[in-house]
């Protein structure tokens, strides 16, 4: 029987979760939804460089392929909001920016031209594009899946949330990994695709705003921000979220110990106070 009262008690929930030696993908997703109030499924991303791994995925996973070429943002959105397990190939990836950072096309005039609207001139556009991280050669395909349904161990985990939620997640990574400051990187014209590639190459998490392409193609109409974590980093980050919730009584930073991470009723204001009534004589 599911104990919903326990699940809605932050401290009791955190206590029960921390009794587990390891957190499963479902544990991680549920904790993010329950404590940090994340709206969307985190998306597990896998890069296939091995024919054997790719064939094993095809044989064992219940996946879908794109009917037409779509952007990488579309793949991520379908997994994030539709719960789909998807396989992307060079032929079914319809975004030149993604193809460039995935190593499926070389730098050409069209890629430079696509960045002219952001830059002063073509020379600057070319220099900026060349600063982007790229996957090593030989990518065969990529897969995306809601983390809790993932049939593979993710190379990278991509998520979307509001800015304050990302602040909580970033702080918890810093504490869990004893690293500060949290380094955020923004690139022109490739927030989702380059963000995922950068995370894979550097093995560092990132929080970054949408680019114009991910805003229009990635279904991000509510002002969300990207958070992108190495696959192995998220369970440790979330375990610390649970630990401090148990320590402090809630997940909120704006008002320590409150249950809601976006608690914003005038922090420390002496006038906004509730108290228990005195017992009647």
């Amino acid at each position: 029987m599911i104990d919903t009262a326990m699940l809605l008690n932050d401290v009791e929930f955190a206590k029960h979760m921390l009794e587990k030696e390891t957190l499963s993908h479902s544990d991680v997703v549920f904790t993010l939804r329950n404590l940090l109030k994340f709206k969307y499924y985190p998306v597990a991303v896998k890069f296939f460089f091995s024919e054997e791994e790719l064939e094993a995925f095809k044989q064992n996973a219940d996946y879908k392929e794109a009917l037409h070429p779509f952007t990488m943002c579309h793949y991520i959105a379908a997994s994030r909001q539709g719960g789909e397990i998807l396989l992307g190939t060079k032929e079914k990836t319809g975004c030149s920016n993604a193809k460039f950072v995935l190593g499926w096309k070389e730098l050409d005039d069209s890629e430079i031209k696509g960045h002219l609207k952001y830059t002063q001139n073509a020379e600057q556009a070319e220099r900026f594009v060349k600063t982007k991280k790229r996957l090593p050669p030989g990518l065969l395909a990529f897969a995306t899946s809601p983390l809790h349904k993932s049939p593979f161990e993710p190379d990278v985990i991509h998520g979307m949330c509001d800015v304050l939620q990302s602040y909580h997640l970033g702080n918890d990574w810093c504490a869990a990994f004893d690293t500060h400051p949290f380094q955020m990187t923004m690139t022109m014209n490739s927030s989702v695709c380059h963000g995922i590639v950068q995370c894979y190459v550097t093995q560092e998490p990132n929080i970054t705003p949408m680019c114009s392409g991910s805003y229009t193609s990635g279904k991000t109409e509510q002002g969300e921000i990207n958070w992108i974590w190495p696959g192995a980093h998220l369970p440790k980050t979330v375990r610390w979220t649970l630990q401090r919730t148990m320590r402090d009584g809630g997940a909120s930073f704006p008002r320590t110990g409150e249950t809601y991470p976006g608690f914003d009723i005038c922090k420390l204001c002496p006038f906004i106070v509730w108290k228990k009534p005195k017992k009647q004589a």
Side-chain angles (χ1 to χ4, degrees):
M1 181 179 294
I2 297 175
D3 187 349
T4 53
M6 182 274 290
L7 295 175
L8 290 170
N9 181 313
D10 290 352
V11 174
E12 286 301 311
F13 167 72
K15 178 181 177 182
H16 278 75
M17 295 297 287
L18 289 170
E19 289 172 355
K20 299 187 176 190
E21 186 173 340
T22 59
L23 296 177
S24 69
H25 293 163
S26 295
D27 292 335
V28 168
V29 173
F30 193 85
T31 299
L32 291 174
R33 290 167 71 94
N34 202 31
L35 294 183
L36 296 187
K37 310 299 188 284
F38 277 23
K39 180 178 179 180
Y40 303 113
Y41 295 138
V43 176
V45 180
K46 171 73 175 174
F47 294 122
F48 294 102
F49 292 93
S50 159
E51 291 281 5
E52 291 76 15
E53 275 194 316
L54 179 56
E55 188 58 31
F57 172 84
K58 290 180 177 179
Q59 292 297 323
N60 299 312
D62 183 15
Y63 71 96
K64 296 179 180 178
E65 296 179 331
L67 183 61
H68 307 290
F70 297 130
T71 68
M72 196 169 190
C73 298
H74 285 133
Y75 282 91
I76 295 292
S79 293
R80 180 180 74 248
Q81 296 189 27
E84 302 284 6
I85 300 174
L86 304 172
L87 183 67
T89 61
K90 179 179 180 180
E91 294 71 30
K92 290 300 175 70
T93 300
C95 173
S96 65
N97 302 137
K99 282 186 173 181
F100 175 70
V101 298
L102 293 172
W104 282 342
K105 63 165 282 189
E106 295 305 315
L107 179 62
D108 56 20
D109 289 342
S110 66
E111 193 66 21
I112 296 169
K113 185 177 179 181
H115 288 73
L116 286 177
K117 62 184 176 182
Y118 305 105
T119 58
Q120 296 185 39
N121 50 50
E123 184 274 330
Q124 188 182 67
E126 181 175 358
R127 275 194 294 110
F128 284 9
V129 174
K130 286 180 176 179
T131 64
K132 293 185 181 183
K133 304 294 186 194
R134 302 182 73 201
L135 289 183
L139 181 69
L140 302 174
F142 66 86
T144 65
S145 169
L147 179 59
H148 64 287
K149 293 169 61 175
S150 177
F152 50 78
E153 282 302 312
D155 292 322
V156 174
I157 299 169
H158 178 279
M160 288 185 184
C161 61
D162 69 37
V163 174
L164 190 55
Q165 287 168 326
S166 74
Y167 174 76
H168 284 68
L169 196 64
N171 274 319
D172 283 344
W173 180 87
C174 288
F177 286 84
D178 193 25
T179 302
H180 194 266
F182 189 102
Q183 299 289 340
M184 302 183 194
T185 301
M186 186 194 84
T187 55
M188 293 175 174
N189 210 22
S190 52
S191 291
V192 174
C193 56
H194 180 266
I196 291 170
V197 167
Q198 174 186 290
C199 182
Y200 178 84
V201 171
T202 65
Q203 286 299 294
E204 294 290 341
N206 192 22
I207 296 170
T208 187
M210 300 299 157
C211 66
S212 54
S214 64
Y215 182 83
T216 55
S217 299
K219 308 305 295 177
T220 58
E221 297 90 344
Q222 298 181 51
E224 300 93 342
I225 196 166
N226 298 284
W227 59 269
I228 309 158
W229 253 235
H233 284 211
L234 192 57
K236 186 174 179 179
T237 304
V238 169
R239 181 169 286 276
W240 171 246
T241 305
L242 290 161
Q243 289 170 332
R244 68 172 181 80
T245 296
M246 192 170 169
R247 179 192 69 185
D248 298 335
S252 177
F253 284 135
R255 193 153 180 156
T256 305
E258 292 288 345
T259 187
Y260 194 71
F263 194 100
D264 62 354
I265 305 179
C266 301
K267 180 182 179 182
L268 303 181
C269 175
F271 296 104
I272 303 178
V273 178
W274 286 263
K275 65 177 184 177
K276 291 183 178 180
K278 293 182 180 179
K279 293 183 178 180
Q280 299 296 321

